[in-house]
Amino acid sequence: MTTISYTCDSWIPVEGEMKDRISAVLLEIAERYRDPEQVRLWMKKVPPIESDGMKIERWSDESLGSGFTGICLLMGQLDRLYPEDGWDRVGHQYLERIRLVMEQQGIHDLSLYSGLAGILLAIRSLSRKGTRYQGMLDTLASWFEESALHSVALCQEQWEKGQLQMSQYDAISGFTGIGRIAMLFSDRPTMCTVWNQTIELFQVMCSDRIRNGHSVPGWHISSEHQFQENEKLQYPQGNFNLGLSHGIAGPLCFLSLSALHGADSLLLVNDIHKLAKFIHHWRVQDKEGIIWPGRVSFEEWLDDQPLPDSAQNHRDSWCYGVPGIARSIWLAGQAVQNEEWIETGLSAYLDIEKRLYRNGGLTSATLCHGVGGLLQLVQRMYSDTGHEQLGAMRNRLLEDVLNMFDSESLFGFYDHSLLAGRMEEVDEAGFLNGSAGVALVLASLIGGENPEWDAAFLIR
């Protein structure tokens, strides 16, 4: 199998008749986002998410995942595609709403998906390659740097005591996402310090701990630190989370990208090896190809083999499925020139084709756990490798996404969500579970430039 060195700058856009079809759908969706206050009003009427006996609102103004911030990424991409159509002015209106929230309420969250890291990415996406919003960016980046350095020190102290929590390290809320944004702004000396100290922080997570008389990888998550009550019951001795959104595939992507972007130390290489070996070991060869379980229980780890049903109910999603986890292995292989990991990552992507007849278990077009997210990850791997089979998969997934467009929906695509015990079609405006994210994938596919926004996915 032929491999190439990953350089982070390849992109193979869609051309021809399909490009015209994407443009027509994209512009119809985009018009629904011209008025940020109307978007917010619509979203406030959408029923909340029901999870673990709680109801969670689907909209938060300053959120990258489900607020104005994530929609800024779409406005930035539309501005690059159609610079004369005023999308920069619309993007400015979205930024103004974020600014008002920060002035009125403050912002006390550093994270990528709910806090300051995501806002920095949003401003960068609207800056026309650093020619706009530099005052705002400098002020918020300075604030981010100071807070991040303080938080790194606190986390290191807790992790050294064995008090690791997923929300502290993961891509959504933790230092995986925070570190990726620091890397993006590493031309700033203090931001470079944040980046390097985040790399060092993960050395603590990659150190073994003694638990129940066993030497256990430091990324073991105890029962009380599981997110949901049913997981606490399912994993009484804790587990090892493999997913990209909340598991160790996220830190592996961050560390591998750090190495590929010039960070250089023996300890960094050692940590990449530790995480990649663990993930590589827990792959399952299913009848439909290579699959990873989302989690490995402590009991499975002790027995050194997965349970027979560990790959059941698998979905090819970014958050917990093969696309995210295989990408982490592939990046690790590129970072340390391990051909076995590169080949495993690519093979796992090619195996996804065996599951496309059922859309890899995905039902909506959205990013986190939908076909749009799978499309973006396949597109990224296709652009990096030029593999013809991946190109054909991309085109098939693109067709599926376009067929999911519904002009009767508020924003163009539906998310599928559990409401009153039933799976329902729900209008979502945002980046992670809404139409803005799907539109962003479509806009990127017809753009000639390699997009930057999927750094938020930790895949580049």
Side-chain angles (χ1 to χ4, degrees):
M1 191 174 291
T2 304
T3 59
I4 61 169
S5 179
Y6 182 53
T7 57
C8 308
D9 59 4
S10 302
W11 192 250
I12 305 176
V14 171
E15 301 290 352
E17 182 180 335
M18 186 61 79
K19 181 176 181 179
D20 295 335
R21 186 178 169 193
I22 292 172
S23 296
V25 170
L26 178 62
L27 290 174
E28 186 172 342
I29 296 170
E31 288 301 321
R32 304 168 193 226
Y33 287 89
R34 283 223 180 246
D35 184 347
E37 283 305 317
Q38 182 62 64
V39 170
R40 186 178 189 274
L41 182 63
W42 280 334
M43 280 305 301
K44 288 295 183 179
K45 296 179 180 178
V46 177
I49 299 168
E50 299 175 10
S51 176
D52 208 21
M54 298 188 303
K55 293 187 176 182
I56 305 168
E57 293 300 322
R58 294 177 185 272
W59 179 264
S60 178
D61 289 345
E62 72 279 12
S63 165
L64 182 77
S66 57
F68 292 134
T69 305
I71 297 172
C72 286
L73 303 184
L74 174 59
M75 295 302 117
Q77 191 66 29
L78 290 172
D79 182 43
R80 282 184 283 279
L81 275 179
Y82 312 111
E84 305 302 321
D85 289 1
W87 293 110
D88 56 335
R89 295 191 295 274
V90 179
H92 179 74
Q93 293 177 41
Y94 278 92
L95 269 188
E96 276 295 294
R97 269 107 186 130
I98 298 168
R99 183 184 62 79
L100 284 173
V101 170
M102 289 190 291
E103 286 182 357
Q104 294 169 4
Q105 304 174 16
I107 186 162
H108 310 287
D109 188 332
L110 279 174
S111 73
L112 178 53
Y113 276 83
S114 298
L116 199 50
I119 293 171
L120 289 174
L121 181 62
I123 298 168
R124 183 181 174 102
S125 72
L126 289 167
S127 71
R128 287 201 171 178
K129 297 184 177 180
T131 62
R132 296 178 174 180
Y133 302 116
Q134 292 310 288
M136 183 182 189
L137 198 56
D138 183 64
T139 298
L140 293 181
S142 298
W143 184 9
F144 175 89
E145 290 161 352
E146 180 181 355
S147 299
L149 291 174
H150 178 67
S151 293
V152 166
L154 288 177
C155 268
Q156 181 162 344
E157 183 178 334
Q158 291 178 1
W159 292 8
E160 286 173 346
K161 295 177 181 177
Q163 299 170 354
L164 179 73
Q165 298 184 42
M166 284 182 284
S167 59
Q168 293 174 324
Y169 77 73
D170 70 12
I172 301 294
S173 303
F175 269 98
T176 290
I178 291 167
R180 182 63 189 93
I181 297 306
M183 191 194 317
L184 203 60
F185 289 91
S186 59
D187 56 325
R188 296 173 58 93
T190 307
M191 199 68 87
C192 192
T193 301
V194 173
W195 174 27
N196 285 316
Q197 289 197 9
T198 304
I199 293 171
E200 293 174 9
L201 176 65
F202 279 113
Q203 292 168 12
V204 180
M205 191 189 82
C206 291
S207 301
D208 289 349
R209 301 276 168 204
I210 301 299
R211 292 187 185 275
N212 301 331
H214 300 277
S215 180
V216 178
W219 51 86
H220 171 265
I221 302 297
S222 62
S223 174
E224 64 267 28
H225 288 149
Q226 300 299 313
F227 283 141
Q228 297 185 341
E229 290 301 318
N230 66 314
E231 293 171 342
K232 294 176 182 179
L233 296 173
Q234 185 178 355
Y235 302 104
Q237 296 191 69
N239 63 25
F240 305 88
N241 194 309
L242 301 186
L244 205 162
S245 59
H246 295 299
I248 60 170
L252 180 57
C253 283
F254 166 70
L255 295 175
S256 300
L257 289 167
S258 293
L260 290 164
H261 282 78
D264 183 21
S265 78
L266 181 59
L267 290 175
L268 171 60
V269 171
N270 287 344
D271 290 342
I272 291 171
H273 274 274
K274 286 180 182 178
L275 291 169
K277 283 180 180 178
F278 190 91
I279 292 175
H280 192 259
H281 175 72
W282 287 100
R283 71 195 186 283
V284 175
Q285 187 64 51
D286 186 74
K287 63 183 179 181
E288 291 185 330
I290 298 172
I291 290 174
W292 277 271
R295 301 163 183 83
V296 175
S297 71
F298 187 79
E299 293 82 358
E300 287 175 297
W301 177 81
L302 280 178
D303 293 340
D304 197 31
Q305 65 178 34
L307 294 172
D309 62 352
S310 64
Q312 282 188 354
N313 303 316
H314 171 79
R315 295 189 299 181
D316 284 316
S317 62
W318 165 73
C319 51
Y320 272 98
V322 166
I325 298 172
R327 179 68 178 180
S328 77
I329 283 288
W330 190 85
L331 286 170
Q334 295 290 350
V336 301
Q337 291 300 292
N338 184 305
E339 290 296 324
E340 183 182 13
W341 297 343
I342 293 171
E343 291 186 11
T344 296
L346 181 55
S347 294
Y349 263 83
L350 298 177
D351 284 345
I352 292 171
E353 185 175 38
K354 301 172 185 176
R355 306 185 290 273
L356 288 187
Y357 71 94
R358 54 183 175 86
N359 277 339
L362 309 171
T363 60
S364 71
T366 54
L367 296 193
C368 182
H369 45 261
V371 182
L374 175 57
L375 171 58
Q376 181 64 22
L377 270 76
V378 168
Q379 163 67 9
R380 183 55 75 183
M381 283 292 285
Y382 172 46
S383 295
D384 286 338
T385 65
H387 199 291
E388 290 184 2
Q389 185 178 335
L390 290 174
M393 288 168 60
R394 177 201 69 177
N395 293 341
R396 181 172 170 180
L397 288 165
L398 173 57
E399 185 78 33
D400 290 339
V401 168
L402 290 173
N403 287 340
M404 290 179 182
F405 173 71
D406 188 336
S407 59
E408 297 299 314
S409 68
L410 281 178
F411 303 106
F413 293 95
Y414 292 111
D415 187 29
H416 292 166
S417 184
L418 195 65
L419 293 175
R422 295 176 53 188
M423 196 62 69
E424 302 281 358
E425 292 183 333
V426 179
D427 284 299
E428 280 262 14
F431 166 73
L432 197 56
N433 295 313
S435 293
V438 187
L440 187 51
V441 172
L442 296 177
S444 301
L445 284 171
I446 59 175
E449 293 184 17
N450 178 25
E452 188 177 76
W453 66 265
D454 60 350
F457 268 12
L458 272 295
I459 62 173
R460 68 169 297 281

